Amino acid sequence: MSTEKPTIREKRSKRKIGLGGMIFVVLAFLALAPDLGLGLSLRHKSHTPERFSESWNDASQFLLSKDFDITKTPTTRVYHWEVTQLTISPDGLDRPMLLVNGMFPGPLIEANTGDQIVVHVTNNMVNGTTIHWHGIYQNGTNWMDGTMGVTQCAIPPGQSMTYNYTIPNQWGTYWWHAHAGSQYVDGILGPLIVHSPDEPHLEEYDEDIIMMLQDYYHTESGSLVTWYLSPASQGNEPVPDNGLINGRNSFNCSSDAQALFPTGNKCTNGAPLATFNFKTGLTYRIRLINTGAFADFQFSIDDHMLTVIEADGIDMQPVAVQRLPIHVAQRYSVLVKANQTVGNYYVRATMNTNCFDVPNPALDPLVKAVIHYEGAPVTQSFNSSDWTVSGMAPVCLDLALDMLHPYDAQPAPTADVSYLISFIFETGSNGINLAYVNGTSWSPLMTDATLFQSQKGITLFDTTQQIVVLNNTNVVELVLINYDNGAHPFHLHGHTFSVLGWGNGTYIPGATPLELTNPLRRDTVTIPQNGWTVVRFKNDNPGLWIFHCHIEWHMEAGMVIQFESLPEQIKKFQIPSEITAMCDANRAHDVFHVEKLLPAYGHDRHLFPTADEPIPDDDPIIDDLGDYYEEEYEVEELVAHRYDSKGNLQYKVKWLNFPNDHISWQTLEDVASAPDAI
């Protein structure tokens, strides 16, 4: 007896669906899933929102102190963090957030090259969590990279982990964020700044400012992931409700009712904007970090030119622009001279809505902050004009490649090997739109990590783990092919890479021109829609390193690949026992409630892993598999059901004629193809 397996539908097609239809789909989904109000599976606490107060938002940490000693003498910097949930109002609307030490954004880490960073993290949530140090190489400490399912298991609720690493041979603008599920979208993020006396632009500015740009959702990210990875979304990403600069903005409370996901939460108009004080004659270094989930921003300051001097921790030859595009997870430093008439000027971070599939009527894509000159009236409402030339691109792209040249000129390294990495969205027969990288849609391991498996010498990984093995290769070339009609900001852990070129259409090796003299180096690059990008990196950092789209919804959909660098060296790693022990804790308890589990066959959403749940007598699966009881597929009983991390309905199968009354979890198609499934 043969069974037709679920088929993959045609290539994903981005589309602008009618707003009325979209609202109907959203409302219908929420009606069918009333339990998704807190997709994070967190307990509500009876905190009173501290409206517009500064207790959760420390504006002073975004102005770096002149008293910080920039030196080559290394030191150890120790931090104690507690991760909890708190209801706050960054833009005036109450919203449960996940906070480190009660702060949003979270605490600043400021260090020098060569410093040792020790961060004691205590998890007081009901879900597991991890912290990733975005852009830090972690050479020799791969297990401190903080990627759940790759370099560690989640820190269980009520338990702690100490991250301990040094930062040699790096300086610049970085950030840290949760790397478990979609938690950073809900607030677990903060700035990480590394100084060095060797920075070439160190004497060119008087003050040093951080501006963290973020798209912002009023609905908890777990619920949004659940909706996105369901037929209800039609493959359209959740569109933000607002945006923030350093955790601040104002929201028109009357717009909540028109949002894609109305909250009905308490809201107060007039929340303050972030304000930055300028003094005439000074030069300011502004460190821009896009900490969002989806939106590409166009950044500008009214009447003030921006001189780019850094991209993703790499010093750049100065280039002046009026506007600067910055995609998710990217960082830039710009110099701004306080040379205008004393007054107030708007900082503008405008989301490129051309890259959204659907509109959100609640969203004002213009996110503002205030530049306040000393001596000007103190106000947040004033006349200030944007640059007359709009410059908003119809697509999401990085700053033109020929504009950014590293200050420390280096030719492109010669590649020993080249890999073609392609990615696409495909909709399965279940109506769920998933991302595939070289044919694999990634799911995070919940009770193990690919690093730990590699250390044990395992070479056959789970089918959801697309892993490229890099043995003694010196330089790796990646030809990245985007078959999607949306752009994707890809980030490589543990490395910077040289960006040799990008474009639309077809890349022809040996014929398509590439920049080989002094190519841009960075760790996050935007792959054009229906286009290509070529990068190269040195295979000099042993470990398991993830390469993924940093649009959070796309990573949740599986747009991930891993590089197993120098596996023979990985086998020699001395990984602290406290880190591997967390996997044992995860196996023993339900410590991470995966947020993207979906309805199927009319069942309610389940958490994973879940206890055995008896199958109802009226379950459609009984009819679907009725024939198999009469065939010779060795199925004695379907014991229970659950959903796996892709939302696939699985059944716990008791097999006949198998040692020890073997019971295993199987998808419908696996049961249908037994005994090959076992």
Coordinates of all heavy atoms in Angstrom, one line a residue, residues 4 166 169 275 331 350 536 576 580 587 627 662:
E4 N 0.5 8.9 -0.6 CA 1.1 10.1 -1.2 C 1.5 11.0 0.0 O 0.8 11.4 0.9 CB 0.1 10.8 -2.0 CG 0.6 12.1 -2.7 CD -0.4 12.7 -3.6 OE1 -1.5 12.1 -3.8 OE2 -0.1 13.9 -4.0
T166 N 36.7 36.5 26.6 CA 37.6 37.6 26.4 C 37.3 38.2 25.0 O 36.7 37.5 24.1 CB 39.1 37.3 26.5 OG1 39.4 36.3 25.6 CG2 39.4 36.9 27.9
N169 N 41.4 41.4 19.8 CA 41.5 41.8 18.4 C 40.2 42.3 17.8 O 39.9 42.1 16.6 CB 42.0 40.6 17.6 CG 43.3 40.0 18.1 OD1 44.2 40.7 18.5 ND2 43.4 38.7 18.2
T275 N 15.8 61.9 23.8 CA 16.4 63.2 23.6 C 17.9 63.2 23.8 O 18.4 62.5 24.7 CB 15.8 64.3 24.6 OG1 14.4 64.4 24.3 CG2 16.4 65.6 24.3
R331 N 25.1 47.4 12.3 CA 25.5 48.5 13.1 C 26.4 49.5 12.3 O 27.1 49.0 11.4 CB 26.4 48.1 14.4 CG 25.6 47.3 15.4 CD 25.7 45.8 15.1 NE 27.1 45.3 15.2 CZ 27.6 44.3 14.6 NH1 26.8 43.6 13.7 NH2 28.8 43.9 14.7
T350 N 13.1 55.9 9.6 CA 11.9 55.6 8.8 C 12.0 54.2 8.3 O 12.9 53.8 7.6 CB 11.8 56.6 7.6 OG1 11.8 57.9 8.1 CG2 10.4 56.4 6.9
R536 N 33.4 36.0 1.4 CA 34.4 35.0 1.8 C 34.8 35.3 3.3 O 34.8 36.4 3.7 CB 35.7 35.2 0.9 CG 35.4 34.8 -0.5 CD 36.7 35.0 -1.4 NE 36.4 34.8 -2.8 CZ 37.3 35.1 -3.8 NH1 38.5 35.6 -3.5 NH2 36.9 34.8 -5.0
P576 N 32.7 23.6 29.8 CA 32.4 23.5 31.2 C 31.2 22.7 31.4 O 30.2 22.7 30.7 CB 32.1 25.0 31.6 CG 32.9 25.8 30.6 CD 32.9 25.0 29.3
T580 N 26.9 21.9 29.7 CA 26.3 20.7 29.2 C 25.2 20.2 30.1 O 24.2 19.5 29.7 CB 27.3 19.6 29.0 OG1 28.0 19.4 30.3 CG2 28.4 20.0 27.9
R587 N 16.0 18.0 29.5 CA 15.4 16.7 29.2 C 14.5 16.3 30.4 O 13.5 15.6 30.1 CB 16.5 15.7 29.0 CG 17.3 15.9 27.8 CD 18.3 14.8 27.6 NE 19.3 15.1 26.6 CZ 20.6 15.5 26.9 NH1 21.0 15.6 28.1 NH2 21.4 15.8 25.9
D627 N -7.1 2.3 7.6 CA -6.7 1.2 6.7 C -5.4 0.6 7.2 O -5.2 -0.6 7.0 CB -6.5 1.8 5.3 CG -7.8 2.1 4.6 OD1 -8.8 1.6 5.1 OD2 -7.7 2.9 3.6
H662 N 8.7 -1.1 21.8 CA 9.2 0.2 21.3 C 8.0 1.2 21.0 O 7.1 0.9 20.3 CB 10.0 0.0 20.0 CG 10.6 1.2 19.5 ND1 11.7 1.9 20.1 CD2 10.3 2.0 18.4 CE1 12.0 2.9 19.4 NE2 11.2 3.0 18.4

